[in-house]
Amino acid sequence: MKKKVLYISFTILVIIIITFIVLPKKSVFGKPHFVQYNASFSAPSGSSYTIDLAYFVVKGSKNILDPQLIKQIKFKNSNTTNIESINYKKSDSSKKYDIRNLALKVNFINSGKENLNNIVVTFNDNTVREYSIGHWYFDVSNHNEESNYIEMGEEFPLVTNDFNGYNFNFKNNSSKKIEIIDLGINLFEAKLKNYNLSIDPYSRLNTLLEASSLNKGNKFYIIRPKITYQYDNKSYAYFPYATYYGFLSMNDKDIDNEVSKTN
């Protein structure tokens, strides 16, 4: 009788263990770890631009940043921006993390310059959470985009490898020489070396503007300059597409490093 009781008890224990293993585990919301960007972003006042923010969650977790769960997202303490809409994208996965992306349509509503570090998310249940996104510099000006004389070259990079400077790739569509007055790039713990740039008539200039004082701990950069140039003794501004640095060569070690910054 005693052996029978022990056998039954053992059988029940095995059933419980098997049931625990076989039944699907309830997924929980994963903590988003945003890429800690070093970003210098210029835009004309009154314009819009979609900015992509990549983040990581433990593989298999639920997405707390599903747009259906969100009432509002904004850059904390920003006076120049308003986020009009959110689009969620799921990307590849690493060994430990799912890579996800928020595409934010940003309206640049006021001119000004500001340094920002966080986004604030208000959910449908009115809970509010903040997430660090790195070091951002916004420069919003009243200059309108001028595209008649200068434009991006055919090989202008939108996504590129590790940052070691700004990839300058523009062409002059005019019959007169264009002098570059300023690029307006302001990065945290990184500076571009001084360059005197000019583009000959109907020519293209493709060169790397190397960076100095580069912090090796920063891998991911976003740069959208305000290119101020002189044509026929008049000053104009041109705003190209933003270039994203670091993603083409991202590996598991890079992801672990970014996650450690927000733990």
Side-chain angles (χ1 to χ4, degrees):
M1 183 70 179
K2 192 173 183 179
K3 288 184 179 180
K4 186 176 181 181
V5 171
L6 288 174
Y7 175 77
I8 294 173
S9 300
F10 178 75
T11 303
I12 293 173
L13 179 61
V14 170
I15 292 173
I16 292 173
I17 292 173
I18 293 175
T19 302
F20 179 77
I21 294 173
V22 172
L23 285 179
K25 297 179 178 64
K26 184 179 179 182
S27 59
V28 297
F29 287 123
K31 177 183 176 181
H33 300 272
F34 277 90
V35 166
Q36 298 301 287
Y37 293 98
N38 192 344
S40 178
F41 199 98
S42 300
S45 179
S47 68
S48 298
Y49 196 95
T50 298
I51 298 176
D52 292 339
L53 299 183
Y55 64 97
F56 314 109
V57 293
V58 173
K59 186 176 287 186
S61 353
K62 291 176 66 178
N63 179 32
I64 194 172
L65 294 179
D66 186 330
Q68 295 183 351
L69 304 177
I70 295 173
K71 181 183 295 185
Q72 181 189 56
I73 291 182
K74 62 182 180 180
F75 291 100
K76 185 179 180 180
N77 298 327
S78 176
N79 296 313
T80 66
T81 64
N82 173 62
I83 296 176
E84 178 182 328
S85 60
I86 314 161
N87 187 25
Y88 165 73
K89 302 174 185 176
K90 187 170 182 178
S91 188
D92 296 329
S93 296
S94 71
K95 292 179 180 179
K96 295 187 291 185
Y97 296 96
D98 288 329
I99 305 170
R100 296 174 176 177
N101 191 80
L102 289 182
L104 307 178
K105 183 177 180 181
V106 182
N107 296 328
F108 295 93
I109 54 176
N110 296 311
S111 59
K113 299 178 181 180
E114 54 189 8
N115 293 289
L116 305 169
N117 304 103
N118 299 281
I119 56 170
V120 179
V121 181
T122 303
F123 294 91
N124 291 335
D125 61 1
N126 291 321
T127 59
V128 179
R129 299 188 184 188
E130 290 186 18
Y131 300 100
S132 171
I133 55 172
H135 297 276
W136 286 70
Y137 171 77
F138 281 122
D139 179 6
V140 183
S141 64
N142 291 322
H143 292 277
N144 293 323
E145 181 176 348
E146 294 287 342
S147 58
N148 292 332
Y149 306 123
I150 189 175
E151 67 177 355
M152 294 175 291
E154 289 81 1
E155 298 176 358
F156 182 87
L158 299 180
V159 182
T160 189
N161 291 320
D162 293 343
F163 177 80
N164 59 355
Y166 180 67
N167 301 91
F168 188 96
N169 189 327
F170 297 92
K171 58 184 179 180
N172 180 354
N173 293 325
S174 76
S175 59
K176 296 184 178 181
K177 190 174 185 177
I178 284 177
E179 300 286 346
I180 307 299
I181 300 172
D182 185 38
L183 294 178
I185 297 175
N186 189 338
L187 294 167
F188 178 73
E189 293 186 342
K191 293 183 179 180
L192 296 181
K193 297 177 182 178
N194 292 325
Y195 292 89
N196 294 320
L197 301 173
S198 62
I199 311 176
D200 292 330
Y202 301 116
S203 297
R204 183 185 69 163
L205 179 60
N206 183 4
T207 186
L208 175 67
L209 307 181
E210 293 183 349
S212 61
S213 305
L214 193 60
N215 185 340
K216 297 299 183 181
N218 296 326
K219 177 179 176 64
F220 300 98
Y221 290 75
I222 301 176
I223 299 179
R224 189 196 190 197
K226 171 188 171 182
I227 299 178
T228 306
Y229 65 95
Q230 190 172 56
Y231 171 81
D232 198 19
N233 295 321
K234 292 183 180 179
S235 178
Y236 298 92
Y238 178 66
F239 300 87
Y241 288 128
T243 301
Y244 288 73
Y245 294 83
F247 287 95
L248 292 182
S249 58
M250 182 173 63
N251 54 41
D252 288 349
K253 182 179 178 181
D254 296 324
I255 295 175
D256 287 338
N257 185 50
E258 292 302 302
V259 170
S260 70
K261 294 177 182 179
T262 55
N263 276 337

